[in-house]
Amino acid sequence: MLPPQYRLRQREDFANIYAHGSLFRGTYLMMRVFKNQDSSFTKIGIVVSKKVSKLAVIRNRFKRQLRAIFRQLLSQLINGLQIVITVTTQGQPSYRQICVDLNPLLIKAKVLQHGS
C-alpha cells in the first residue's frame, strides 16, 4: 500500500484532476497530472474500470502492480502533484510491460525530479 499521505481518495479531487489536469497516453495506461500548490505531498489515484475486466481479481492485480511501482518512485516524484493513472487495456500486460509503459509517461509529464 501507499502511505496514506500519498493516496488520492476524494471524489472532488478526482473530478478536479479530470477537469483540469494534463493528459498523457501510453499503450496500457492513461495518466492525468494536476499541479496542486496546497499540498506538500504528491498524491496518487489509480482507476481500473470494469471495462478492463469484469473480474475483480484482475482489476485488483493492476492496482497492486501500479501501487508497487509508485512506491518505488515516491522519492523521485516532484512534490505537490496530483496524479491519476487509468488502465485502458482489456489485455493482461505483465508487470514489466506496465513499467515500460509508465516510465515514458512520467518523463513526458515532467513529474520526476532531475537526476533520477
Side-chain angles (χ1 to χ4, degrees), residues 3 27 29 44 66 87:
T27 306
L29 305 171
I44 300 163
L66 285 166
V87 178

Side-chain angles (χ1 to χ4, degrees), residues 89-105:
T89 183
Q90 290 194 342
Q92 291 187 17
S94 67
Y95 179 84
R96 183 101 175 115
Q97 290 171 315
I98 292 172
C99 285
V100 168
D101 195 34
L102 182 62
N103 283 332
L105 293 178

